[in-house]
Amino acid sequence: MRKWKLGITFICVISLMLGVTVYATDEKEITLEQVEIQDNVNEDEKSIVSEEEKNNSDKEKEEKNQAENGQEEEESQNSKVDNKENRQDETKEETNIDEENKSTEEKELKQGKALSASSYLSIGTIDVIKDGVVNKDLPDSLSYDVDTNTLTLNNYKGMVTQKDEDTYVSGLSFSLEEDFKINLVGENVITVKGEDARGIWGDLTLEGTGSLTLNLLGKDSGYGIEFQKKLKIKSCTLNIIGQWDGEDDNAGFYNGSFYGINSWYEPEVIIENANVNIQSVVNKSNSKMYNVGLDTQDGNLTVKNSTININMKGGIAFSIGVGHYNYDDESVDGGKFTLENSTIRCSTVSGLTNNIYFYNLNDMGKSYFYAGNESADTLRSFDEVFEKKESMANQYRGKYNHIIISPELIKELCKHQWDEGAVIKEATCVAEGMKAYTCKLCKETKSETIPKLIHKFDGGQVTKTATCTEAGAREYTCTVCGEIKVEEIAAMGHKFDEGQVTKESSCTEAGEKKYSCTVCGELKVEEIPMIDHVFDAGKIVKEATVSEEGEKVFICTICGVSKTEKIPKLTAGNNKLEQKPSTVNPSDTVNNNLTGGKNVSAASAVKSPQTGDESYILILAMMMIVSSGAIIKISYQKGK
């Protein structure tokens, strides 16, 4: 009975399974819940069959039933997967059709809003859109997408010049219903030349990976970009360059104006991930012309992750102006200057300088301020750079011609104020140390070398004794590091005694004296100089006359060497002969060398008188008188 009931149950289960499979195939739908139910039914089926097979003794029947059940289960699973994939494909196809229809509707709607019969877009002398119709014959450097209302400039170069009948000339002008975009690719340049030179007018978005340069050459008026409500500059580079050659008309304070970027209608200027450079030079003769970089008038300025460089020279110069003061009700329109991770560099050179003004600066605490009259080279506080104008509802106005606002410290501009420094490595006898300093302003660091310490040497020890002729050595050791240095001990030199004469000197030969070193016994010999000759009084060997010099001979009493001297000639005076007194004593005897070893008297040494020589007669008479006196005296003595 039990086997019969199990058989009935098995047949019902199989029938239910086949019914579900047929239904899913016909309707092409199957839910996850149904799959789960089917899985549960299969599990029950397996359980029932398994129980029945346990009671069946025929193993062949058991294997056959298992094979049949496995095949049926596989077919069921394959059927479920196929149904699910078919359902997903149909759903995806329906979604794509819906999106395509929706996109077509949006395109038609956009195109209808962007262009109308009065829509136009011109750049330079080229009409991109005229009377709502897009020009299909544009150069490769220009393209316009109606769907996105975007003009793409791809390395475009164009120039437009003001005609005589024109009141002004514009580089790019447009009138479009939707938000207008300019996509920049490569380097693009628009040059505008005229009395009143204008770049772009109208609300727009500048974006792209390229750059746009607006060259404006005018007299006394113009602008780079002027708009009404909103200007966005994103992920690109914008260069606005102005050159103005007008002259003062001497009629009042105002005489023309140039604005790099400007609006008068409570605008919002957003500069994000971009680089904006504005430079304008006004001729010196036009000192009354307003020369303004970026002015939002009644609006606000937001700069994010960008760099702005503004350089205004001449005229009545401003760099950046944010907000407008109403004198009537003493209120402020706009004036919110928001900086997020951006750098502003402004320079104004003119007679009247206001540089930057605003009413509210966001992110003030996260910025660093550099300012100066000649250049922005000194780090300053916010209050040092900007002052409040109480009469204009607390307007902040820059004090300096040159101002930089930076999200980071500009280390190369900092006039460092170094702290006392900290030793990071001590100096020793053998190695230099290191000391680090930190700037109190910008936190820049620098390091300096600490010189090696001086060795602390001991008193030293003699390692080699000096002698009379050789130097010695003394070795010193540092008590800190053990460094050794050696110094030379100078040689002592010989210490000689007083010496002994070994050969006397004479007037013809030098002598010798010998010395001996008392330390090492070294000998030295010194020469004793020759002594001078010792001459006698001298003898006249030739008398001097009026016409001839005489001669006198001197004999050395030691070695007998002789020397001769001249006796000057006699001189005459008052027509009478005057003889110079002789230095020879008549009583002197002539040296034995002159007389053959015999002593002779002075009288016998005198030459015989010459004829006519009266001086000799006188001398002879005197000698006779002396001789007579001597004879008389001798005779007198003998008589006694």
Side-chain angles (χ1 to χ4, degrees):
M1 184 70 178
R2 185 178 180 185
K3 293 182 178 179
W4 180 80
K5 290 182 178 180
L6 289 175
I8 296 297
T9 304
F10 175 75
I11 293 172
C12 293
V13 170
I14 294 299
S15 300
L16 178 62
M17 182 182 67
L18 292 175
V20 171
T21 302
V22 173
Y23 177 81
T25 302
D26 292 340
E27 295 298 325
K28 296 183 180 180
E29 290 184 358
I30 183 168
T31 63
L32 293 176
E33 183 178 358
Q34 289 173 329
V35 172
E36 291 176 357
I37 294 173
Q38 184 64 49
D39 290 339
N40 292 333
V41 171
N42 290 337
E43 291 297 326
D44 292 339
E45 176 187 354
K46 290 179 181 179
S47 177
I48 294 173
V49 172
S50 178
E51 184 177 355
E52 182 178 1
E53 289 173 345
K54 287 180 182 179
N55 298 323
N56 194 345
S57 59
D58 191 352
K59 292 183 179 180
E60 271 186 28
K61 187 175 181 179
E62 181 179 353
E63 292 176 358
K64 183 178 179 180
N65 290 335
Q66 288 178 349
E68 291 177 354
N69 291 334
Q71 184 177 359
E72 290 174 355
E73 183 178 358
E74 182 178 0
E75 291 176 355
S76 177
Q77 293 294 340
N78 291 337
S79 177
K80 285 188 275 185
V81 171
D82 291 340
N83 292 333
K84 183 177 181 180
E85 289 179 352
N86 292 335
R87 181 170 56 84
Q88 290 176 344
D89 290 340
E90 289 179 356
T91 303
K92 184 176 182 181
E93 184 177 353
E94 292 174 358
T95 302
N96 291 338
I97 293 173
D98 292 340
E99 290 180 352
E100 185 177 349
N101 293 334
K102 183 178 180 181
S103 176
T104 302
E105 292 176 359
E106 289 178 351
K107 286 183 180 179
E108 293 175 354
L109 185 61
K110 275 189 176 181
Q111 184 170 350
K113 287 185 178 181
L115 299 180
S116 65
S118 60
S119 297
Y120 69 88
L121 170 59
S122 63
I123 178 170
T125 58
I126 300 174
D127 289 326
V128 180
I129 301 173
K130 185 176 182 180
D131 299 330
V133 179
V134 179
N135 186 353
K136 301 297 183 180
D137 191 21
L138 294 174
D140 293 339
S141 57
L142 296 175
S143 62
Y144 174 73
D145 185 354
V146 177
D147 297 339
T148 59
N149 194 20
T150 300
L151 173 67
T152 297
L153 306 182
N154 190 344
N155 292 305
Y156 171 80
K157 305 291 188 298
M159 180 174 179
V160 59
T161 303
Q162 184 175 352
K163 298 179 181 179
D164 294 338
E165 64 272 16
D166 293 336
T167 56
Y168 66 88
V169 61
S170 179
L172 190 153
S173 59
F174 61 91
S175 175
L176 300 169
E177 302 297 329
E178 283 288 302
D179 291 340
F180 176 54
K181 297 179 182 178
I182 297 179
N183 178 42
L184 302 176
V185 179
E187 298 179 359
N188 304 278
V189 180
I190 300 176
T191 301
V192 183
K193 184 177 182 180
E195 293 284 332
D196 186 343
R198 307 182 182 187
I200 301 174
W201 190 94
D203 293 355
L204 75 154
T205 297
L206 275 174
E207 61 184 10
T209 59
S211 64
L212 172 62
T213 298
L214 299 174
N215 284 325
L216 308 174
L217 307 174
K219 289 293 183 181
D220 57 8
S221 62
Y223 55 76
I225 298 178
E226 189 166 28
F227 61 101
Q228 290 184 348
K229 288 290 185 180
K230 183 171 291 188
L231 173 66
K232 293 182 180 180
I233 303 173
K234 300 172 61 178
S235 305
C236 63
T237 296
L238 172 64
N239 305 310
I240 300 176
I241 303 173
Q243 180 70 48
W244 313 100
D245 295 322
E247 296 182 359
D248 288 343
D249 58 7
N250 297 319
F253 180 71
Y254 169 77
N255 188 43
S257 62
F258 165 74
Y259 291 86
I261 296 176
N262 180 60
S263 177
W264 300 79
Y265 307 101
E266 300 181 4
E268 289 288 334
V269 178
I270 299 174
I271 300 174
E272 187 173 0
N273 300 314
N275 184 16
V276 177
N277 305 290
I278 302 175
Q279 176 181 326
S280 175
V281 179
V282 173
N283 191 307
K284 291 182 179 180
S285 62
N286 195 358
S287 61
K288 298 178 182 178
M289 177 179 176
Y290 274 103
N291 192 20
V292 184
L294 197 164
D295 192 5
T296 63
Q297 295 292 330
D298 298 345
N300 303 317
L301 173 62
T302 299
V303 183
K304 297 181 179 181
N305 304 314
S306 300
T307 299
I308 297 179
N309 297 296
I310 299 179
N311 189 340
M312 315 304 291
K313 185 176 181 180
I316 304 171
F318 292 82
S319 289
I320 295 178
V322 185
H324 177 254
Y325 180 75
N326 296 312
Y327 287 94
D328 295 337
D329 57 3
E330 297 181 349
S331 63
V332 176
D333 296 326
K336 186 178 181 180
F337 189 10
T338 301
L339 283 175
E340 293 183 11
N341 193 34
S342 299
T343 299
I344 308 293
R345 296 173 181 264
C346 295
S347 173
T348 54
V349 180
S350 69
L352 177 62
T353 298
N354 291 297
N355 209 325
I356 303 176
Y357 73 83
F358 52 86
Y359 294 89
N360 182 10
L361 177 62
N362 283 6
D363 202 22
M364 179 181 69
K366 297 181 180 180
S367 297
Y368 297 90
F369 305 90
Y370 296 84
N373 288 322
E374 298 299 324
S375 63
D377 58 0
T378 303
L379 180 64
R380 303 177 186 273
S381 66
F382 175 84
D383 292 333
E384 287 180 297
V385 178
F386 299 100
E387 60 184 353
K388 282 187 177 181
K389 295 292 184 181
E390 299 294 339
S391 60
M392 301 182 72
N394 297 329
Q395 181 194 76
Y396 289 99
R397 182 169 293 184
K399 302 177 184 178
Y400 297 91
N401 292 345
H402 305 275
I403 296 174
I404 298 177
I405 305 174
S406 172
E408 298 177 349
L409 289 162
I410 306 176
K411 295 181 180 180
E412 58 268 24
L413 295 182
C414 183
K415 293 183 177 179
H416 298 301
Q417 295 181 9
W418 304 107
D419 61 11
E420 296 76 14
V423 176
I424 57 178
K425 180 183 178 182
E426 295 286 351
T428 65
C429 302
V430 294
E432 296 175 332
M434 191 69 68
K435 192 173 186 179
Y437 298 86
T438 302
C439 176
K440 298 177 182 178
L441 302 177
C442 70
K443 309 307 177 185
E444 173 79 351
T445 60
K446 71 172 183 177
S447 59
E448 288 184 355
T449 299
I450 303 174
K452 294 180 183 179
L453 299 178
I454 299 174
H455 290 292
K456 296 181 179 180
F457 290 107
D458 58 14
Q461 182 178 1
V462 176
T463 56
K464 180 181 178 182
T465 303
T467 66
C468 298
T469 56
E470 291 186 1
R474 185 186 297 272
E475 189 174 277
Y476 299 85
T477 303
C478 177
T479 58
V480 178
C481 69
E483 178 79 5
I484 294 176
K485 73 172 182 177
V486 178
E487 288 185 354
E488 183 183 86
I489 302 174
M492 297 183 296
H494 294 294
K495 295 182 179 180
F496 291 103
D497 57 14
E498 295 180 354
Q500 183 179 3
V501 176
T502 57
K503 180 182 178 182
E504 296 288 348
S505 63
S506 66
C507 54
T508 58
E509 191 176 6
E512 288 182 353
K513 192 174 185 179
K514 185 179 291 185
Y515 298 86
S516 178
C517 177
T518 60
V519 178
C520 67
E522 179 78 9
L523 297 176
K524 75 172 181 177
V525 177
E526 288 185 354
E527 183 183 79
I528 302 174
M530 292 188 300
I531 62 175
D532 295 332
H533 292 289
V534 180
F535 290 102
D536 59 7
K539 303 299 178 181
I540 296 175
V541 295
K542 181 182 178 182
E543 293 288 346
T545 65
V546 176
S547 59
E548 289 184 351
E549 293 178 333
E551 287 184 354
K552 202 189 308 184
V553 177
F554 299 87
I555 304 299
C556 177
T557 61
I558 298 173
C559 66
V561 73
S562 64
K563 71 174 181 177
T564 303
E565 287 185 358
K566 297 291 185 181
I567 300 173
K569 294 178 181 180
L570 299 178
T571 59
N574 297 325
N575 297 324
K576 293 183 178 180
L577 293 176
E578 293 184 356
Q579 185 177 3
K580 292 183 179 180
S582 175
T583 58
V584 181
N585 191 337
S587 62
D588 290 342
T589 59
V590 181
N591 188 280
N592 291 335
N593 292 336
L594 297 178
T595 59
K598 299 179 180 179
N599 290 328
V600 296
S601 64
S604 65
V606 178
K607 290 183 179 181
S608 299
Q610 302 292 326
T611 304
D613 192 346
E614 295 180 356
S615 62
Y616 285 96
I617 295 173
L618 179 61
I619 295 171
L620 183 58
M622 291 179 63
M623 293 177 61
M624 290 175 65
I625 294 171
V626 173
S627 298
S628 298
I631 295 171
I632 294 171
K633 183 176 181 181
I634 294 170
S635 299
Y636 174 77
Q637 289 177 345
K638 287 181 178 181
K640 283 184 161 184

